[in-house]
Amino acid sequence: VSQQNRIHNFSAGPAVLPLSVVEELREALPNLEGTGLGLMEMSHRSKTFEAIVDSAMGRIRRVLSLPDDYEVLLLQGGASMQFCMVAMNLLQGGVADYIDTGAWSKKAAVEAQRFGDARVVWSGADVGYKRVPTNDEWTCSEGAIYTHFTSNNTIYGTQFHKPIQGEHIVCDMSSDIASRRIDGSAYDVIYAGAQKNLGPSGVTVIALSPWAVERSDPNLPSMLRYRLHVEKGSMFNTPNTLGIFFLDRVLAWIESQGMDVVEARNQRKADALYTLLDGSEFWQPIAQRDCRSLMNVSWRIADTALEPVLVQEALAAGFSGIKGHRSVGGIRASIYNACPEESVAALVGFLKEFERTRG
Amino acid sequence: VSQQNRIHNFSAGPAVLPLSVVEELREALPNLEGTGLGLMEMSHRSKTFEAIVDSAMGRIRRVLSLPDDYEVLLLQGGASMQFCMVAMNLLQGGVADYIDTGAWSKKAAVEAQRFGDARVVWSGADVGYKRVPTNDEWTCSEGAIYTHFTSNNTIYGTQFHKPIQGEHIVCDMSSDIASRRIDGSAYDVIYAGAQKNLGPSGVTVIALSPWAVERSDPNLPSMLRYRLHVEKGSMFNTPNTLGIFFLDRVLAWIESQGMDVVEARNQRKADALYTLLDGSEFWQPIAQRDCRSLMNVSWRIADTALEPVLVQEALAAGFSGIKGHRSVGGIRASIYNACPEESVAALVGFLKEFERTRG
């Protein structure tokens, strides 16, 4: 497989993955680790596969700096299923605070509302979701069981760069998990669909504090009960075995470089784009400067009529996925962990040339 | 990739898949259909991927002979999630009949019990689950909303070979879906985890009659609501894109041969094993003759002490996965669609030799 046949991929998710890991998957498909059995064709209860699950869980613990007494789950259903499971397991008719920084956080609150009093204590709707709040802009509700936030908004390109307040923090980290060093102990629940920074769609990573496991409602249907999945080591039923294998290999790719190296590269990629966008009135970045996402860079062109032209010419030049989300329009480059610096450099060059000829 | 490096795979699931389809996946991984984007690295809302979903759904309709007004869903969570979703959507406090033919059907009834009166109207427990019932052995409950059964039991190796009675039939078809011609209109709900006959784990196929869609409870959390998934074409959130691609390719492999050819081959494979097992007192098949599964052949050795010897020698000779389920012991060969006739012929030869030297 030659790298050359692949174009520059800025998809918001499912998103570009490390080519070396894609190659590892290709190797494992017909025959995993010399077992004579294909990766997808092996019992999830085999020793070979159980070692893969153990490895993946250990890597998640290390990459997220989780305390030893936290639990890790590898389930199915994506973040959308967690919108519902978080509230089913933890809310139980009580009060929870939700920070609304855009579409996904709003959906999480809507699902939670079915199971208790999910209060939107701050909403970015009034400011066009161009920024996330500081802690002094909202107050924790009395008796709030948890506070929920979405660490990175893929649509507006905003990101929290400081921890939020609250006694128990639940975070949808789907779009920036494992992109920077975090202190896992600051969260009671972290959940993330894998398909942006960690692997293919169809695997969901969940980290639970002892408090979250303890609070998990024991009367829920089996598949929706956190504690059951903890007890069964995420093997209550057959998991997405290929997805977990891939996740483990992506985490190995991250660990082999070191999180500091990955984080610094993500910073450089974002800086390269924001520096260009700040350089002239031709471009108009959407997110407020101190809330900018390192994962999704969203912007408009001052002359909005040029936006479809840019998207079309970019695709012709080998840059895929830079059309902004339909709800906000404009341009978006998603530059998750696996997006190579070369892709970002090439895009910056293309954008400069576009500005030079059309600006 | 040479076939020779793969051993004979009789795993109960995840199970052997068609090698030609595994090769198709390997091709698509770095660059799908010349798009320059890898299969796992592409938006699920792209035209390329939407065509794959449409293709997979069309193939399911044809392979299951579903009426035109039925809906097909491709979700996550496996049959275990459907144990809960079927009852959440359809039962709503009412009565349903469950036929207990072993572990999985029992689990389905337990989950349903949370949402209404799930009655086990027949249980194979008294006969060691060696057979499934005929319709005259049980009675539909008055007002039963649906009747649930598991068409094939992987553990005891039993299978229904005739439709069951009931006004609305719900069938867990995980272990024999697409292995034989069926009349889809006889069912109101069919569900199946993909990892036996259709693909990798992490994709679940669901077929719903208009009655089932209509009855679907509108007040459930989004991810658990059948009707929402119907409205969203299974794209309410990011589906398991790789799994759906693979499913489509496996169904193409089935359709290219024709279901009659696949069914006849499955019959020949099962006949080869049962003929051997019926040939001497050395072997003791578990399932009653008229209820035998064409997918999972389960048996004991009269001298049970020879069972671990057989499993060990078989593995050394290149036959994997023939140890019986821990709940029943003995030997089991799972011979789903993709298990080659050559593997079965080789296993029969090995078993004959084992009997000759140890019998």
Side-chain angles (χ1 to χ4, degrees):
Chain A
V1 185
S2 72
Q3 172 77 55
Q4 290 88 286
N5 294 330
R6 286 160 62 93
I7 60 179
H8 298 294
N9 186 350
F10 296 97
S11 172
V16 66
L17 296 167
L19 187 61
S20 64
V21 181
V22 173
E23 288 296 338
E24 284 186 78
L25 174 59
R26 294 181 86 230
E27 282 289 311
L29 278 178
N31 190 338
L32 175 64
E33 297 174 13
T35 54
L37 306 172
L39 165 63
M40 299 180 289
E41 303 163 86
M42 173 181 294
S43 170
H44 54 296
R45 305 206 186 275
S46 62
K47 283 198 173 30
T48 307
F49 186 71
E50 281 186 347
I52 292 170
V53 173
D54 288 348
S55 171
M57 288 183 174
R59 292 185 193 283
I60 289 164
R61 288 181 178 285
R62 292 192 295 273
V63 166
L64 300 184
S65 302
L66 298 176
D68 287 346
D69 56 359
Y70 274 45
E71 301 286 349
V72 174
L73 301 179
L74 297 169
L75 303 182
Q76 300 180 50
S80 294
M81 185 61 90
Q82 294 311 307
F83 296 166
C84 146
M85 281 179 71
V86 160
M88 283 178 119
N89 279 274
L90 307 180
L91 196 46
Q92 300 173 35
V95 176
D97 290 337
Y98 277 73
I99 312 286
D100 169 25
T101 53
W104 303 107
S105 55
K106 214 171 347 184
K107 286 188 183 187
V110 167
E111 297 301 326
Q113 197 58 46
R114 303 172 193 280
F115 305 100
D117 184 2
R119 297 185 187 163
V120 175
V121 289
W122 186 88
S123 173
D126 303 336
V127 295
Y129 292 112
K130 291 181 183 204
R131 63 182 185 84
V132 300
T134 53
N135 281 334
D136 57 11
E137 291 186 273
W138 60 280
T139 313
C140 292
S141 299
E142 201 178 314
I145 293 158
Y146 62 81
T147 308
H148 180 283
F149 79 114
T150 311
S151 52
N152 181 78
N153 179 287
T154 55
I155 295 174
Y156 301 94
T158 57
Q159 190 174 20
F160 283 88
H161 295 298
K162 281 180 196 156
I164 68 163
Q165 62 189 331
E167 198 186 347
H168 297 292
I169 304 294
V170 176
C171 180
D172 176 358
M173 212 176 274
S174 294
S175 53
D176 65 358
I177 192 168
S179 71
R180 58 181 175 182
R181 212 171 266 288
I182 63 162
D183 170 13
S185 72
Y187 306 83
D188 277 282
V189 180
I190 293 171
Y191 64 88
Q195 69 270 15
K196 296 176 196 294
N197 269 319
L198 292 180
S201 56
V203 191
T204 316
V205 173
I206 300 140
L208 301 172
S209 73
W211 171 84
V213 175
E214 177 62 31
R215 193 170 165 86
S216 167
D217 186 340
N219 299 313
L220 295 171
S222 299
M223 283 294 285
L224 302 173
R225 214 185 309 154
Y226 281 145
R227 209 185 306 186
L228 180 79
H229 289 299
V230 168
E231 286 162 8
K232 299 287 186 182
S234 297
M235 301 273 262
F236 173 67
N237 71 335
T238 316
N240 177 343
T241 55
L242 180 147
I244 292 173
F245 169 86
F246 201 92
L247 185 90
D248 177 61
R249 298 290 85 210
V250 169
L251 290 162
W253 174 82
I254 291 171
E255 289 199 287
S256 73
Q257 303 167 75
M259 185 50 89
D260 291 338
V261 171
V262 170
E263 183 170 355
R265 187 172 58 227
N266 286 334
Q267 185 72 56
R268 284 196 304 273
K269 290 187 292 182
D271 285 348
L273 277 162
Y274 288 120
T275 300
L276 171 81
L277 298 176
D278 288 335
S280 93
E281 297 296 315
F282 184 77
W283 311 108
Q284 307 201 325
I286 287 171
Q288 188 174 298
R289 204 173 279 251
D290 57 346
C291 306
R292 284 175 174 174
S293 169
L294 302 190
M295 299 284 103
N296 311 92
V297 180
S298 290
W299 72 94
R300 305 297 307 251
I301 304 182
D303 177 359
T304 55
L306 285 175
E307 290 169 352
V309 179
L310 173 61
V311 170
Q312 198 179 359
E313 293 189 2
L315 187 59
F319 300 95
S320 173
I322 69 158
K323 188 176 175 185
H325 189 272
R326 62 187 181 281
S327 63
V328 61
I331 313 295
R332 171 174 57 172
S334 296
I335 51 174
Y336 303 113
N337 281 353
C339 178
E341 277 193 281
E342 301 73 51
S343 284
V344 174
L347 179 62
V348 167
F350 174 82
L351 294 172
K352 276 185 183 159
E353 182 61 16
F354 188 86
E355 181 186 351
R356 192 184 67 78
T357 53
R358 313 286 179 126
Chain B
V1 187
S2 73
Q3 172 78 55
Q4 291 88 287
N5 294 331
R6 286 160 62 93
I7 60 179
H8 298 295
N9 186 350
F10 295 96
S11 173
V16 66
L17 296 166
L19 187 61
S20 64
V21 181
V22 174
E23 287 297 337
E24 284 185 79
L25 174 59
R26 294 181 87 231
E27 281 290 311
L29 277 178
N31 189 339
L32 175 64
E33 296 174 12
T35 54
L37 305 172
L39 165 62
M40 299 180 289
E41 302 163 85
M42 174 181 293
S43 170
H44 54 297
R45 307 206 185 273
S46 63
K47 283 198 174 32
T48 307
F49 186 72
E50 281 186 346
I52 291 169
V53 173
D54 289 348
S55 171
M57 288 184 173
R59 292 185 193 283
I60 290 164
R61 288 181 178 284
R62 293 192 294 273
V63 165
L64 301 184
S65 302
L66 297 176
D68 288 345
D69 56 0
Y70 274 46
E71 301 286 349
V72 174
L73 301 179
L74 297 170
L75 303 182
Q76 300 180 51
S80 293
M81 185 61 91
Q82 294 310 306
F83 297 166
C84 146
M85 281 179 69
V86 160
M88 283 180 119
N89 279 274
L90 307 179
L91 195 45
Q92 300 173 32
V95 176
D97 290 337
Y98 276 73
I99 312 287
D100 170 23
T101 53
W104 302 108
S105 56
K106 214 171 349 184
K107 285 188 183 186
V110 167
E111 296 300 327
Q113 197 58 47
R114 304 173 193 278
F115 305 100
D117 183 2
R119 297 184 186 164
V120 175
V121 290
W122 186 88
S123 173
D126 302 337
V127 295
Y129 293 112
K130 290 180 182 203
R131 62 182 185 83
V132 300
T134 54
N135 281 334
D136 57 10
E137 289 185 274
W138 60 278
T139 314
C140 292
S141 299
E142 201 179 313
I145 292 159
Y146 62 82
T147 309
H148 179 283
F149 79 114
T150 311
S151 51
N152 181 78
N153 179 287
T154 55
I155 296 174
Y156 302 94
T158 58
Q159 190 175 20
F160 283 88
H161 294 297
K162 281 179 194 157
I164 69 162
Q165 63 190 329
E167 198 186 346
H168 297 292
I169 305 295
V170 176
C171 181
D172 176 359
M173 212 176 274
S174 294
S175 53
D176 65 358
I177 191 168
S179 70
R180 58 182 175 181
R181 211 171 266 290
I182 64 161
D183 170 13
S185 73
Y187 305 83
D188 277 282
V189 180
I190 293 171
Y191 64 89
Q195 69 271 16
K196 296 175 194 297
N197 269 318
L198 292 179
S201 56
V203 192
T204 315
V205 173
I206 300 139
L208 300 172
S209 73
W211 171 84
V213 175
E214 177 62 32
R215 193 169 165 85
S216 168
D217 186 340
N219 299 313
L220 295 170
S222 300
M223 283 293 285
L224 302 173
R225 213 184 311 153
Y226 281 145
R227 208 185 306 186
L228 180 79
H229 289 300
V230 168
E231 286 161 9
K232 300 288 185 182
S234 298
M235 301 273 260
F236 173 67
N237 70 336
T238 317
N240 177 342
T241 55
L242 180 148
I244 292 173
F245 169 87
F246 200 92
L247 185 89
D248 177 62
R249 298 290 84 210
V250 169
L251 289 161
W253 174 82
I254 291 172
E255 288 199 289
S256 72
Q257 303 167 75
M259 185 50 90
D260 291 339
V261 171
V262 171
E263 183 170 357
R265 187 171 58 227
N266 285 334
Q267 186 72 56
R268 284 197 304 275
K269 290 187 293 184
D271 285 348
L273 277 162
Y274 288 119
T275 300
L276 170 80
L277 299 176
D278 287 335
S280 93
E281 297 297 315
F282 183 78
W283 311 108
Q284 308 201 324
I286 288 171
Q288 187 174 296
R289 203 173 280 251
D290 58 345
C291 305
R292 284 175 173 172
S293 169
L294 303 190
M295 298 285 102
N296 311 90
V297 180
S298 290
W299 72 94
R300 305 298 307 248
I301 304 181
D303 177 359
T304 54
L306 285 175
E307 290 169 353
V309 179
L310 174 61
V311 170
Q312 199 180 357
E313 292 189 3
L315 188 59
F319 301 95
S320 174
I322 69 159
K323 189 177 176 186
H325 189 272
R326 60 188 182 281
S327 64
V328 61
I331 313 294
R332 170 174 59 173
S334 295
I335 51 174
Y336 303 113
N337 280 353
C339 177
E341 278 193 280
E342 300 73 47
S343 284
V344 174
L347 179 62
V348 167
F350 173 82
L351 294 172
K352 276 185 182 157
E353 182 61 14
F354 188 86
E355 182 187 351
R356 193 184 66 77
T357 54
R358 313 286 179 127

